[in-house]
């Protein structure tokens, strides 16, 4: 079995698992990526029976992927779409891109982040990672709005770091507005396309790395997480 063949099977198996868990938007991405790989593999297979079998499976997966797209579209139009994801303690594979990157694209122009804990250094770095992902995936992004709480112990340092990020975003013609609230509790990310992502712990879901030269220090898909939940909604404007 070639590397691409194994990768295709792995992606399509994952798509089926996500499908059964009603995590439809994730399943669609895995179906699409897995099908693309599988169809490339089919072109290189010499075994006639195996080629026929893979083409039949590809047709089944494509049909299911299209059906899921219809389900998601209908639930979005009805304003009822909801996905629930549980992140187990010490599990990996949960970078921001893995959690909500599939909703970030060229149609997004404004993102609002509400998180009371963008205060200490590592929390601000998490927010920076989130901003980097938004800028990388959303070519038309023009505004990012942050609502958080003040760091009572080091407010000056908090403001200084957020102002530095503001200037960095301004260099790309992106405005970042920062507001503070003493009563904020909810944690959510809202896109002007209608998607809303609620993470129980907010952006602060990762355990501290066990060293400075260790796996997961930079790649957050490899960083163990704390237990939390993610709820994804779509709200019509």
């Amino acid at each position: 079995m070639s590397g691409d063949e194994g990768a295709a099977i792995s992606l399509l198996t994952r798509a089926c698992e996500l499908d059964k868990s009603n995590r439809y938007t994730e399943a669609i991405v895995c179906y699409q990526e897995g099908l693309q790989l599988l169809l490339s593999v089919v072109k290189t297979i010499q075994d006639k029976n195996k080629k026929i079998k893979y083409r039949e499976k590809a047709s089944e997966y494509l049909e299911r992927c299209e059906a899921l797209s219809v389900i998601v579209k209908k639930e979005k139009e009805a304003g009822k779409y909801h996905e629930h994801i549980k992140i187990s303690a010490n599990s990996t594979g949960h970078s921001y891109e893995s959690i909500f990157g599939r909703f970030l694209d060229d149609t997004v122009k404004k993102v609002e982040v509400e998180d009371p804990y963008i205060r200490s250094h590592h929390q601000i770095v998490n927010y920076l990672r989130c901003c980097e992902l938004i800028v990388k995936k959303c070519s038309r992004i023009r505004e990012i709005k942050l609502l958080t709480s003040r760091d009572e112990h080091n407010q000056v340092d908090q403001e200084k770091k957020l102002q530095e990020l503001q200037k960095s975003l301004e260099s790309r013609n992106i405005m970042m507005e920062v507001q503070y609230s003493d009563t904020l509790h909810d944690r959510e990310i809202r896109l002007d396309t209608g998607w809303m992502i609620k993470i129980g712990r907010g952006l602060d879901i990762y355990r501290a790395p066990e060293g400075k030269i260790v796996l997961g220090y930079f790649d957050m898909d490899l960083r163990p997480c704390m237990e939390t939940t993610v709820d994804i909604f779509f709200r019509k404007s």
Side-chain angles (χ1 to χ4, degrees), residues 128-145:
L128 168 60
R129 290 192 184 101
C130 179
C131 289
E132 287 178 332
L133 179 63
I134 292 168
V135 172
K136 184 173 70 173
K137 307 259 303 183
C138 307
S139 63
R140 300 172 66 196
I141 188 72
R142 289 295 171 262
E143 182 180 354
I144 300 174
K145 182 177 179 181

Side-chain angles (χ1 to χ4, degrees), residues 13 20 24 31 64 72 92 123 139 146 151 173 194 208 210-211 215-216 220 223:
T13 301
K20 289 177 182 177
Y24 294 151
Y31 276 129
R64 180 55 184 166
V72 171
T92 57
Q123 291 166 345
S139 63
L146 172 65
D151 186 345
N173 297 315
E210 296 180 352
L215 293 176
M220 305 312 283
R223 179 81 67 88

Side-chain angles (χ1 to χ4, degrees), residues 125-229:
V125 169
N126 283 336
Y127 176 65
L128 168 60
R129 290 192 184 101
C130 179
C131 289
E132 287 178 332
L133 179 63
I134 292 168
V135 172
K136 184 173 70 173
K137 307 259 303 183
C138 307
S139 63
R140 300 172 66 196
I141 188 72
R142 289 295 171 262
E143 182 180 354
I144 300 174
K145 182 177 179 181
L146 172 65
L147 178 63
T148 189
S149 60
R150 295 186 184 277
D151 186 345
E152 297 177 357
H153 304 291
N154 205 343
Q155 183 176 324
V156 173
D157 190 53
Q158 177 192 23
E159 291 181 354
K160 181 180 178 182
K161 289 172 181 174
L162 289 174
Q163 287 169 1
E164 184 176 1
L165 178 52
Q166 278 180 312
K167 290 179 181 178
S168 180
L169 287 165
E170 282 175 6
S171 70
R172 292 177 176 265
N173 297 315
I174 301 168
M175 181 182 76
M176 185 180 97
E177 178 184 352
V178 181
Q179 293 182 353
Y180 298 94
S181 169
D182 296 329
T183 58
L184 180 65
H185 176 73
D186 290 345
R187 300 159 174 85
E188 61 187 46
I189 299 169
R190 295 189 299 273
L191 314 182
D192 63 351
T193 50
W195 289 107
M196 179 166 60
I197 301 96
K198 292 191 173 188
I199 306 175
R201 298 186 62 92
L203 294 175
D204 195 6
I205 63 173
Y206 304 109
R207 294 195 178 280
E210 296 180 352
K212 293 185 177 180
I213 311 297
V214 295
L215 293 176
Y217 192 87
F218 290 107
D219 189 337
M220 305 312 283
D221 270 322
L222 300 175
R223 179 81 67 88
C225 290
M226 293 179 277
E227 183 175 346
T228 192
T229 57

Side-chain angles (χ1 to χ4, degrees), residues 2-218:
S2 69
D4 283 349
E5 186 177 354
I9 292 171
S10 178
L11 276 168
L12 292 167
T13 301
R14 179 61 175 158
C16 294
E17 292 171 352
L18 292 166
D19 191 345
K20 289 177 182 177
S21 300
N22 297 325
R23 292 164 62 173
Y24 294 151
T25 59
E26 288 180 279
I28 288 169
V29 172
C30 287
Y31 276 129
Q32 290 172 338
E33 292 179 356
L35 279 166
Q36 187 175 4
L37 270 176
L38 183 62
L39 292 173
S40 296
V41 168
V42 167
K43 294 176 183 178
T44 66
I45 291 176
Q46 301 301 318
D47 186 320
K48 185 178 179 180
N49 291 330
K50 189 174 184 181
K51 187 185 287 280
I52 292 172
K53 179 183 176 182
Y54 275 8
R55 281 178 175 164
E56 289 174 348
K57 294 300 292 184
S59 294
E60 290 176 17
Y61 289 132
L62 179 59
E63 186 176 337
R64 180 55 184 166
C65 184
E66 290 173 344
L68 287 186
S69 296
V70 171
I71 292 171
V72 171
K73 183 179 179 181
K74 286 182 177 179
E75 292 190 2
K76 282 171 63 180
E77 289 174 349
K80 296 180 179 179
Y81 190 82
H82 176 218
E83 241 177 75
H84 179 76
I85 302 167
K86 183 176 180 180
I87 296 177
S88 302
N90 297 314
S91 62
T92 57
H94 306 295
S95 65
Y96 298 144
E97 182 158 11
S98 297
I99 296 172
F100 56 85
R102 61 193 176 280
F103 305 112
L104 301 173
D105 56 31
D106 295 342
T107 63
V108 178
K109 297 180 181 177
K110 180 179 180 180
V111 177
E112 297 179 68
V113 178
E114 292 187 2
D115 191 327
Y117 295 102
I118 309 296
R119 303 191 300 198
S120 62
H121 178 75
H122 83 275
Q123 291 166 345
I124 293 173
V125 169
N126 283 336
Y127 176 65
L128 168 60
R129 290 192 184 101
C130 179
C131 289
E132 287 178 332
L133 179 63
I134 292 168
V135 172
K136 184 173 70 173
K137 307 259 303 183
C138 307
S139 63
R140 300 172 66 196
I141 188 72
R142 289 295 171 262
E143 182 180 354
I144 300 174
K145 182 177 179 181
L146 172 65
L147 178 63
T148 189
S149 60
R150 295 186 184 277
D151 186 345
E152 297 177 357
H153 304 291
N154 205 343
Q155 183 176 324
V156 173
D157 190 53
Q158 177 192 23
E159 291 181 354
K160 181 180 178 182
K161 289 172 181 174
L162 289 174
Q163 287 169 1
E164 184 176 1
L165 178 52
Q166 278 180 312
K167 290 179 181 178
S168 180
L169 287 165
E170 282 175 6
S171 70
R172 292 177 176 265
N173 297 315
I174 301 168
M175 181 182 76
M176 185 180 97
E177 178 184 352
V178 181
Q179 293 182 353
Y180 298 94
S181 169
D182 296 329
T183 58
L184 180 65
H185 176 73
D186 290 345
R187 300 159 174 85
E188 61 187 46
I189 299 169
R190 295 189 299 273
L191 314 182
D192 63 351
T193 50
W195 289 107
M196 179 166 60
I197 301 96
K198 292 191 173 188
I199 306 175
R201 298 186 62 92
L203 294 175
D204 195 6
I205 63 173
Y206 304 109
R207 294 195 178 280
E210 296 180 352
K212 293 185 177 180
I213 311 297
V214 295
L215 293 176
Y217 192 87
F218 290 107

